[in-house]
Amino acid sequence: MGAAVIAVGALALTGCGTDTGGSTGAGNDGEPVAGGTLTWGVPAEPSAGGLDPMVASAIAAEVIDSIAYDTLLTRENDGTVNPALATDWEQPDELTWVFQLRDDVTFADGSPFDASDVVYSFETRKDGGTNATYLVNMESVEATGDHEVTFRFSQPDGTFLDAVSARQTFFIVSEEGYGAASEEERQTQTFGTGAFQVTEWSQGVSVTLDKNEKYWGEAPNLDSIVFELYPDESTLLAAVQQGSVQAASFIDGSLAGQAESAGFTLGDPPFRQNLAIYINPEAGPLADVNVRRAFSLALDRQALVDTAMLGNAGISFVPPAGDPGAPDATDLPYYTRDIDEAKKLLEDAGQPNPEITLSYMGDVAQSHHPVYEMMQQQLAEAGITLKLEATPLSEIAPIFTTGESWTDLVAIPGSPRASAAFYLQPVLLEGGVYNHWDGNPDADKARELLTQAMAAATPEEYNDLIDQLAEETAEQVLEVVPAAVPVYFEVWDANKLKGYESDAFYSRYKLDSAWLSE
């Protein structure tokens, strides 16, 4: 299924219980005020692919593109699907989706928005763009009217509505503007219908977006947004405390907490980044399902959340706790700690004291390292020796880029995906970079459920199958998730930035209507 995308905090590539994330802020902020420039400090800037919405995979790019570009539909924190560039949509049969489009939209470059732009955007995406795997079943996309688009699929696709309503997946570009632009222009400018457009990118310094005077929605209040780069988050915290920025995004939750202590509002962070640990069951102790179950039972996930992550995480499985519709992981098999049962399973497996190796990225995402160290201590209580191998990212990267193998376990934090099925695609399906389960009967039922979910005819059928898939994946322990964390922690000065609140998709769409106090 192609190379997996990761979202390691320090790279900025693209919860007990369950926290779906969402909002803290807004409230009664008074009447909006027009004008002003918002300065937002960020720890990373767009990397490979720049700002090109068809090829960029960095989350730093996605959060900017989601301001400059629109999607056909949008999704709220609770999973509710709303109109955006499409006003209505229907599924006349299992293989067809029809969208009616707005007829009052103009791109920032002055070209009118119509069905041909949607066709161009999806065909370009399917032709090898980022997230092309989301369209593997799309047979055709056709303009069946000036403002009507029809999608036809080779088989039912249970993921399509999720994908097309994700705020950072299928951006619609101007065929006239984007289509005629050079590769450099696509990576440094934007060609969207969003409320703000990128007008300057000073690499290593800042990205500036100005108000789109042709925006089809309610006119934005802010004149400009400047995302200033602070690779050192301690320096970013100082900028927050000194008032040099009105808002900021942190990877390190403890620094965001310090900003909150200084009087900034801390958004309710969605736990959408699983600290995923992938299993190689082809040899060694983890080939035995009872050893895997004992491993899972020996983990005290609440302690990992509270102590190792200082509360800046949540109990999670697949999909992550912050995803709309994610299962309550605390109800899953082998998820509640039971040391006695773990020891019994190890005895049954004939391996009372197994040694298991866990490789993790030793030179990035340092805030995650205490999780692995505490896991080592917890597992030892059950008789499991966890050998930790801090490995440079450069040596781990071939695993998620080309599918290179590993020993026992490898920890690779995952990025948010548009639909729940896509979290397990690279683990269970042929060609998946984390798939070492081919021919292993332990994964047969989960693979069948995943295949059925992806071909579900209705959203209701899809959601039911995803719940069954989570149950089966936990039953067989096909993946280990010690916790989920936010991709970013957002803070802002609520005395200055009004009308803003965070969202579960890191899209910052509330900036469309936010304002600065006088």
Side-chain angles (χ1 to χ4, degrees):
M1 289 294 164
V5 179
I6 66 166
V8 179
L11 302 177
L13 294 179
T14 142
C16 103
T18 299
D19 187 332
T20 58
S23 61
T24 297
N28 184 16
D29 282 337
E31 291 298 314
V33 176
T37 296
L38 169 66
T39 303
W40 189 305
V42 294
E45 65 180 346
S47 53
L51 293 165
D52 187 339
M54 294 298 170
V55 299
S57 61
I59 289 180
E62 289 180 351
V63 295
I64 293 173
D65 282 342
S66 64
I67 297 172
Y69 294 95
D70 291 312
T71 51
L72 293 181
L73 306 174
T74 60
R75 208 178 333 155
E76 298 298 329
N77 292 347
D78 63 1
T80 302
V81 176
N82 292 327
L85 292 178
T87 57
D88 294 286
W89 58 99
E90 63 175 339
Q91 188 180 21
D93 60 62
E94 292 182 350
L95 302 178
T96 309
W97 283 92
V98 180
F99 291 80
Q100 305 300 325
L101 308 177
R102 299 185 67 98
D103 61 4
D104 59 350
V105 177
T106 300
F107 284 96
D109 62 17
S111 59
F113 162 75
D114 60 26
S116 65
D117 297 297
V118 177
V119 171
Y120 174 79
S121 297
F122 276 86
E123 287 184 339
T124 302
R125 180 82 64 176
K126 184 175 173 64
D127 220 13
T130 305
N131 298 326
T133 54
Y134 293 172
L135 299 173
V136 66
N137 294 322
M138 189 184 81
E139 200 167 66
S140 67
V141 54
E142 178 185 0
T144 46
D146 289 345
H147 294 92
E148 180 182 275
V149 175
T150 300
F151 294 83
R152 293 186 174 86
F153 293 83
S154 57
Q155 66 178 49
D157 191 326
T159 68
F160 183 64
L161 189 61
D162 276 354
V164 83
S165 60
R167 292 180 180 269
Q168 296 168 328
T169 303
F170 294 139
F171 296 120
I172 304 302
V173 302
S174 165
E175 181 179 17
E176 183 175 316
Y178 179 92
S182 67
E183 181 178 352
E184 180 181 356
E185 288 170 334
R186 292 176 177 182
Q187 293 191 14
T188 57
Q189 302 175 28
T190 51
F191 302 86
T193 56
F196 298 87
Q197 299 295 310
V198 173
T199 54
E200 182 182 6
W201 179 8
S202 178
Q203 294 195 15
V205 180
S206 63
V207 177
T208 299
L209 297 93
D210 289 337
K211 177 167 61 176
N212 176 10
E213 300 293 348
K214 299 180 176 65
Y215 183 52
W216 55 273
E218 188 173 337
N221 295 306
L222 297 170
D223 289 332
S224 302
I225 304 169
V226 178
F227 291 107
E228 285 191 352
L229 179 62
Y230 291 85
D232 181 343
E233 291 198 42
S234 296
T235 304
L236 176 55
L237 177 62
V240 167
Q241 294 170 331
Q242 294 164 9
S244 301
V245 299
Q246 293 96 39
S249 300
F250 288 92
I251 297 164
D252 189 330
S254 64
L255 293 179
Q258 291 183 52
E260 182 182 27
S261 297
F264 272 55
T265 295
L266 174 62
D268 186 6
F271 300 127
R272 297 201 67 212
Q273 182 182 16
N274 267 347
L275 301 188
I277 297 177
Y278 299 104
I279 299 170
N280 183 348
E282 294 177 344
L286 296 174
D288 191 309
V289 65
N290 281 335
V291 175
R292 301 196 302 270
R293 288 168 174 169
F295 188 103
S296 186
L297 281 173
L299 296 180
D300 184 342
R301 291 171 172 82
Q302 192 61 57
L304 293 173
V305 167
D306 295 339
T307 304
M309 292 303 298
L310 304 176
N312 298 314
I315 295 176
S316 182
F317 194 50
V318 185
D323 272 33
D328 184 349
T330 59
D331 293 335
L332 293 172
Y334 304 103
Y335 244 67
T336 300
R337 194 181 202 215
D338 189 332
I339 291 294
D340 291 337
E341 180 63 18
K343 290 180 178 180
K344 181 178 182 300
L345 288 167
L346 292 175
E347 290 288 348
D348 291 345
Q351 301 184 63
N353 300 109
E355 181 176 301
I356 296 170
T357 298
L358 169 62
S359 301
Y360 65 97
M361 301 174 187
D363 52 349
V364 298
Q366 284 85 356
S367 63
H368 301 164
H369 296 178
V371 171
Y372 312 132
E373 293 160 1
M374 190 169 187
M375 285 175 58
Q376 185 181 52
Q377 299 167 13
Q378 293 178 351
L379 292 163
E381 295 180 42
I384 299 172
T385 298
L386 185 65
K387 180 182 176 184
L388 297 178
E389 290 192 351
T391 307
L393 171 62
S394 60
E395 294 182 22
I396 284 183
I399 293 173
F400 59 81
T401 56
T402 63
E404 186 175 293
S405 187
W406 66 90
T407 299
D408 294 340
L409 299 170
V410 63
I412 300 179
S415 68
R417 309 307 298 269
S419 192
F422 293 112
Y423 289 98
L424 283 170
Q425 261 193 336
V427 177
L428 294 174
L429 297 189
E430 184 178 354
V433 292
Y434 306 129
N435 181 13
H436 285 272
W437 296 99
D438 280 346
N440 190 321
D442 291 350
D444 285 351
K445 183 177 179 181
R447 186 180 297 108
E448 180 182 356
L449 288 167
L450 175 59
T451 302
Q452 290 175 355
M454 294 180 66
T458 66
E460 293 76 18
E461 181 187 1
Y462 176 75
N463 291 334
D464 179 62
L465 287 164
I466 289 296
D467 287 344
Q468 294 181 52
L469 175 60
E471 186 85 10
E472 177 63 17
T473 302
E475 178 76 28
Q476 300 298 330
V477 195
L478 305 180
E479 182 177 323
V480 175
V481 180
V485 298
V487 176
Y488 289 127
F489 295 85
E490 293 184 347
V491 301
W492 61 93
D493 185 344
N495 293 317
K496 297 178 180 178
L497 178 60
K498 303 290 187 176
Y500 182 74
E501 55 189 37
S502 54
D503 67 275
F505 304 95
Y506 302 98
S507 67
R508 300 174 187 161
Y509 72 93
K510 287 290 187 179
L511 290 178
D512 292 2
S513 56
W515 69 95
L516 292 172
S517 62
E518 293 181 299

